Amino acid sequence: MVDVQNDFCPGGALAVPQGDEIVTLVNQLAEAFRNVVFTQDWHPVGHLSFASAHAGRSPYDTIAMPYGPQVLWPDHCVQGTPGAAFHSGLQIPHAGLILRKGLDRTIDSYSAFYENDRTTATGLTGYLRERGITRVFLAGLALDFCVRYSAEDAVREGFAVVVIEDACRGIDVQGSIAATLSSLAALRVAAIGAAEIAVTRAA
């Protein structure tokens, strides 16, 4: 479950349109799985992905960083703030891991597996492999950033990957949703609806 946090829901600092609509569905989906992992954006004050950290820059500008292009965001999911908290409607008490990302002030971190340099690992791969998990199902926010990067990296790590499309919402910056769908199709990531979960798990 990727980043279902207050700042990514309506009224938050970086709201994904209709982001809160997935909460009930995510709760229902989680009941079908023994192993559930939450990711949580957890930025320090002044993170370099924030437009406010760059004089003369505005949110959604793109700048060059040592690890590649970086979209600049409004300040969001700052450590310990209400915006960084999970949506209050989440009810998944059996989640086994909360993986916090974006802690390094100098690099953004979309993926559950790697920071945006695509080389600094979060440790999730080892966590999953120690439990014998070979397939990853993804839901959450936002489809075209943190869900996308997580799916791409999961494929790279050798996992079978399924994105539950109706349990995601996108923000769509400069055509990012279309780019995401193209990338995931090229990687042969399965895209399904939540209603298919029981069938998929039985297969």
Side-chain angles (χ1 to χ4, degrees):
M1 187 210 70
V2 179
D3 296 359
V4 184
Q5 296 168 254
N6 291 330
D7 269 345
F8 295 129
C9 292
L14 183 50
V16 178
Q18 292 83 49
D20 57 342
E21 291 181 358
I22 70 170
V23 171
T24 298
L25 184 56
V26 166
N27 286 338
Q28 294 168 352
L29 285 165
E31 295 176 2
F33 295 92
R34 290 190 302 274
N35 294 287
V36 178
V37 173
F38 287 5
T39 69
Q40 185 177 24
D41 251 15
W42 197 251
H43 296 303
V45 172
H47 195 277
L48 292 185
S49 69
F50 296 167
S52 62
H54 303 271
R57 294 291 188 169
S58 300
Y60 310 108
D61 287 351
T62 300
I63 64 169
M65 294 287 278
Y67 51 85
Q70 172 68 53
V71 177
L72 296 179
W73 305 109
D75 291 26
H76 66 281
C77 296
V78 174
Q79 297 171 6
T81 65
F86 291 115
H87 189 284
S88 62
L90 289 173
Q91 298 177 9
I92 309 175
H94 66 289
L97 176 68
I98 296 173
L99 190 152
R100 287 176 167 169
K101 55 192 181 65
L103 283 77
D104 185 336
R105 181 179 176 273
T106 66
I107 184 169
D108 211 357
S109 187
Y110 300 150
S111 171
F113 293 88
Y114 286 93
E115 293 186 347
N116 283 11
D117 59 5
R118 312 308 280 265
T119 60
T120 304
T122 66
L124 181 58
T125 295
Y127 178 90
L128 298 177
R129 286 182 177 155
E130 286 288 337
R131 286 155 180 76
I133 294 168
T134 60
R135 183 167 49 172
V136 175
F137 292 76
L138 294 168
L141 307 171
L143 171 66
D144 40 339
F145 285 92
C146 295
V147 174
R148 172 187 176 172
Y149 275 56
S150 297
E152 291 173 347
D153 285 343
V155 170
R156 182 158 65 107
E157 290 297 290
F159 296 99
V161 183
V162 180
V163 172
I164 308 168
E165 288 190 301
D166 51 350
C168 299
R169 294 291 186 274
I171 195 166
D172 205 16
V173 176
Q174 302 169 5
S176 54
I177 289 180
T180 294
L181 297 177
S182 177
S183 173
L184 298 186
L187 292 171
R188 298 183 179 178
V189 170
I192 68 170
E196 299 177 65
I197 285 294
V199 173
T200 300
R201 292 183 72 240

